[in-house]
Amino acid sequence: MSWGTELWDQFDNLDKHTQWGIDFLEKYAKFVKERIEIEQNYAKQLRNLVKKYCPKRSPKDEEPRFTSCIAFFNILNELNDYAGQREVVAEEMGHRVYGELMRYSHDLKTERKMHLQEGRKAQQYLDMCWKQMDNSKKKFERECREAEKAQQSYERLDNDTNATKADVEKAKQQLNLRTHMADENKNEYAAQLQNFNGEQHKHYYIVIPQIYKQLQEMDERRTIKLSECYKGFADSERKVIPIISKCLEGMILAAKSVDEHRDSQLVIDCFKSGFEPPGDFPFEDYSQNIYRTISDGTISTPKQEGMRIDPKTTVGKAKGKLWLFGKKPKGPALEDFSHLPPEQRRKKLQQRIDELNRELQKETDQKDALIKMKDVYEKNPQMGDPSSLQPKLAETMSNMDRLRMEIHKNEAWLSEVEGKVAARSDRRHSSDINHLVTQGRESPEGSYTDDANQEVRGPPQQHAHPNEFDDEFEDDDPLPAIGHCKAIYPFDGHNEGTLAMKEGEILYIIEEDKGDGWTRARRHNGEEGYVPTSYIDVTLEKNSKGS
């Protein structure tokens, strides 16, 4: 099956077909381009949707703690990754399909133009050969007619008795001349005919089949290229299906992570005040004086002075606690958070203690770095003056003392709050056992008393002892590993506090470089020390395995 043998006379139709093939190729390329635009717009709209519903919080705001919120934000992250995969699909289609089609279309047009020019040149050459043959044929035909006329003229003069001998001889010479010219044109026509037949055979059996074969191969390559692009069109999306599946699985896992009980507990932790519900109002008998006036001999149970309750005081205390069930009164924020309910006060104090401990750890790290730098300056005076570090070191020590005092003070307040919470729990437990015991009351300021007339606010008691405070900062537990490193160069580690290492050795990172050029590391056997940061390749990890 070859175009050269089957379609030897269909040059114009092949011209139209190959042009249609290129147009169809460009039409498919336009389709791919529009699909790419759809994918890009889809990804852009998805990203805008994620951005719209992502929380707009300042750095001071807390992260969402409810599992339903965390799950939704995880779904938004997965959807953002999904949008990224749609962008990957568009990029892959643009590079692998659309770009390739446009380049191939340009090459195809150039090749088609060359083949058609060759076909037209071959046809023009064959037409030229035919014209030469036709001209020689017409010339031979004309000479034959002239020779035939000369033959008739000679015979007529030869048979005419009145004709002179000279006229007959002249007619004979003219006949011979015409006959000779006819023979020459005959030979030329035969040669041109033989040449044309050869060129025509070569044209239809060699030249044209070769050109048409090249056109056929070109069209078949175009078909194959379309097939490859169809496959690449599908592969561009099939490649990202595993990642898209992971995004969808992540959304399902986020949905499964929602815990209604945990969210309910978070609501309790967030809004729990720590106050007790208000107790029963005592019955106040105003009729005793009436009965005593009517009958002085009536025996009545004398009221104990200690059990007398001032109505004003009771009502005032009750009204002072009504803000627990309504809008909390606004007041100035106190340093010890005593303006807050007990439970919220305890949480705030614990958060402040954690923040102070972190600041203290930073100051401690800075002090260690300054001491190391001072030691290096003392051993190598050309690197710097050790006395220049003394003001900064003194400032750091002062900050550490200040932070320790703040921590001590807040821990005392925390101990006070926790002690009152425990006492309130014991009192509530005993009240549940014996309902005859008068229930204790608490004031919004956090002070408790069983006597309403003796309820006063006093300074917080210091429950923490100095020894306990010192023990807290003498924790010998090893620091957790925050990453690992690989030694690029060997290090001897002769100085005190340094750690020797071999090239290629793997160590745990327990403290990052604070800007002094040293990193604190630990071996697998627990040995710790500082190594030069420029000698190691550090990899920090979120969940690094500690030793």
Side-chain angles (χ1 to χ4, degrees):
M1 182 182 67
S2 174
W3 288 5
T5 57
E6 303 292 339
L7 304 176
W8 61 272
D9 58 344
Q10 300 296 320
F11 181 84
D12 293 337
N13 288 330
L14 290 180
D15 184 1
K16 295 178 181 179
H17 173 75
T18 52
Q19 181 62 44
W20 170 87
I22 294 176
D23 294 340
F24 182 79
L25 186 75
E26 293 180 343
K27 182 178 181 180
Y28 178 69
K30 183 180 180 182
F31 162 78
V32 174
K33 182 180 179 181
E34 293 182 2
R35 169 66 189 276
I36 291 171
E37 292 175 354
I38 291 174
E39 291 290 347
Q40 291 173 343
N41 293 332
Y42 180 47
K44 182 179 179 180
Q45 291 176 359
L46 285 178
R47 290 194 183 277
N48 291 336
L49 181 66
V50 171
K51 184 178 179 181
K52 178 180 178 181
Y53 283 92
C54 274
K56 298 178 176 63
R57 300 184 304 271
S58 62
K60 295 182 180 179
D61 293 338
E62 296 181 356
E63 292 294 329
R65 296 173 296 173
F66 296 104
T67 57
S68 57
C69 296
I70 296 174
F72 177 62
F73 295 140
N74 289 337
I75 288 174
L76 289 179
N77 290 333
E78 296 294 346
L79 187 61
N80 192 57
D81 294 340
Y82 177 84
Q85 297 308 311
R86 305 316 307 180
E87 291 175 346
V88 171
V89 171
E91 183 178 357
E92 183 72 12
M93 285 184 179
H95 174 71
R96 182 176 177 181
V97 182
Y98 179 73
E100 185 66 22
L101 283 174
M102 297 308 295
R103 288 190 296 269
Y104 187 75
S105 174
H106 179 268
D107 297 339
L108 202 64
K109 290 179 180 179
T110 304
E111 183 179 0
R112 173 181 174 274
K113 182 179 180 181
M114 179 186 68
H115 293 325
L116 293 179
Q117 285 179 349
E118 291 178 355
R120 291 189 181 94
K121 287 181 180 179
Q123 187 64 42
Q124 289 173 359
Y125 179 72
L126 184 63
D127 292 343
M128 182 189 68
C129 293
W130 180 84
K131 287 181 180 179
Q132 290 178 352
M133 183 272 296
D134 187 62
N135 290 333
S136 62
K137 176 183 177 182
K138 291 179 179 179
K139 188 175 180 181
F140 170 61
E141 183 182 4
R142 186 173 60 254
E143 291 298 330
C144 287
R145 286 197 299 270
E146 293 295 331
E148 186 177 355
K149 290 180 181 179
Q151 177 70 27
Q152 293 175 359
S153 177
Y154 171 73
E155 289 178 353
R156 186 180 66 254
L157 290 176
D158 187 41
N159 294 328
D160 188 2
T161 56
N162 298 322
T164 62
K165 186 177 180 180
D167 292 335
V168 173
E169 189 65 26
K170 184 177 180 181
K172 185 178 180 180
Q173 291 178 356
Q174 186 68 24
L175 175 63
N176 291 333
L177 177 63
R178 291 295 179 185
T179 302
H180 177 71
M181 291 181 65
D183 290 340
E184 288 183 354
N185 283 281
K186 179 181 179 181
N187 293 333
E188 182 180 357
Y189 167 64
Q192 290 292 337
L193 179 62
Q194 185 179 3
N195 179 64
F196 172 76
N197 288 333
E199 292 296 333
Q200 180 175 256
H201 184 275
K202 180 181 178 181
H203 176 81
Y204 287 111
Y205 289 93
I206 299 177
V207 178
I208 289 299
Q210 182 66 25
I211 295 174
Y212 285 8
K213 180 181 178 182
Q214 292 174 351
L215 286 173
Q216 182 180 358
E217 291 175 352
M218 180 196 71
D219 194 70
E220 289 175 353
R221 288 198 308 271
R222 175 191 62 82
T223 306
I224 293 173
K225 176 59 69 173
L226 279 174
S227 175
E228 293 175 352
C229 291
Y230 294 159
K231 183 175 179 295
F233 183 82
D235 285 340
S236 299
E237 188 162 1
R238 187 173 65 178
K239 285 182 179 179
V240 303
I241 287 179
I243 303 178
I244 291 177
S245 299
K246 289 182 179 180
C247 294
L248 299 177
E249 290 174 2
M251 295 181 186
I252 294 175
L253 291 176
K256 292 180 178 179
S257 67
V258 176
D259 187 349
E260 67 278 10
H261 301 296
R262 182 181 176 187
D263 286 359
S264 298
Q265 184 61 40
L266 286 174
V267 174
I268 294 174
D269 295 339
C270 184
F271 300 111
K272 181 180 178 181
S273 66
F275 288 124
E276 291 182 1
D280 296 336
F281 283 93
F283 177 76
E284 301 177 7
D285 191 359
Y286 296 101
S287 64
Q288 291 182 3
N289 293 331
I290 300 175
Y291 296 149
R292 187 177 295 115
T293 303
I294 296 174
S295 177
D296 294 334
T298 304
I299 300 175
S300 60
T301 304
K303 292 178 65 178
Q304 297 181 3
E305 189 68 26
M307 296 294 292
R308 185 173 299 168
I309 301 174
D310 187 1
K312 296 181 179 180
T313 305
T314 304
V315 175
K317 292 298 179 182
K319 289 183 178 179
K321 292 170 62 177
L322 291 178
W323 65 269
L324 292 173
F325 306 97
K327 187 175 181 181
K328 184 177 177 181
K330 294 183 179 180
L334 302 177
E335 183 183 7
D336 60 351
F337 299 111
S338 59
H339 62 289
L340 296 176
E343 184 65 23
Q344 301 301 321
R345 182 187 180 194
R346 184 188 64 79
K347 290 174 60 178
K348 290 291 185 180
L349 288 172
Q350 187 62 53
Q351 291 176 3
R352 179 186 286 175
I353 290 173
D354 294 340
E355 292 176 359
L356 291 173
N357 281 325
R358 287 193 290 268
E359 293 180 10
L360 179 61
Q361 183 61 42
K362 291 180 181 178
E363 295 293 336
T364 303
D365 295 340
Q366 185 174 0
K367 182 199 72 172
D368 295 340
L370 290 171
I371 292 175
K372 288 191 298 182
M373 189 179 297
K374 182 178 179 182
D375 183 61
V376 172
Y377 286 176
E378 290 176 350
K379 293 180 180 180
N380 302 290
Q382 68 275 10
M383 296 182 66
D385 184 11
S387 61
S388 62
L389 301 176
Q390 192 61 34
K392 186 64 176 176
L393 187 59
E395 181 184 355
T396 303
M397 296 294 290
S398 175
N399 291 337
M400 291 175 62
D401 293 338
R402 177 181 56 80
L403 291 172
R404 288 192 180 99
M405 291 178 63
E406 288 289 331
I407 292 173
H408 190 189
K409 181 171 60 175
N410 284 273
E411 285 179 342
W413 289 333
L414 180 62
S415 300
E416 177 189 359
V417 175
E418 290 177 346
K420 289 181 179 180
V421 171
R424 186 175 72 255
S425 299
D426 296 339
R427 187 163 61 251
R428 181 182 300 174
H429 179 69
S430 63
S431 175
D432 293 338
I433 297 175
N434 186 4
H435 296 281
L436 299 177
V437 179
T438 304
Q439 294 184 357
R441 295 178 299 172
E442 57 180 294
S443 67
E445 292 79 14
S447 60
Y448 301 87
T449 178
D450 293 334
D451 191 349
N453 296 325
Q454 295 178 358
E455 188 172 14
V456 295
R457 182 187 300 179
Q461 298 179 1
Q462 304 291 337
H463 296 282
H465 300 286
N467 292 335
E468 296 177 0
F469 178 74
D470 295 338
D471 292 342
E472 182 181 352
F473 289 91
E474 293 178 0
D475 189 3
D476 294 333
D477 293 338
L479 294 173
I482 60 174
H484 63 275
C485 67
K486 181 179 181 181
I488 305 175
Y489 309 105
F491 179 63
D492 296 334
H494 295 312
N495 296 333
E496 183 180 358
T498 59
L499 181 66
M501 60 182 180
K502 299 179 181 179
E503 182 178 356
E505 185 176 359
I506 304 298
L507 304 174
Y508 291 115
I509 300 296
I510 56 178
E511 282 188 16
E512 295 185 66
D513 187 352
K514 304 299 182 181
D516 56 354
W518 295 88
T519 300
R520 190 173 179 182
R522 179 193 298 138
R523 279 204 180 92
H524 295 276
N525 59 7
E527 185 180 357
E528 298 181 1
Y530 289 92
V531 296
T533 305
S534 58
Y535 281 40
I536 56 177
D537 182 13
V538 178
T539 302
L540 297 179
E541 302 172 354
K542 291 184 178 180
N543 299 320
S544 181
K545 181 180 177 182
S547 58

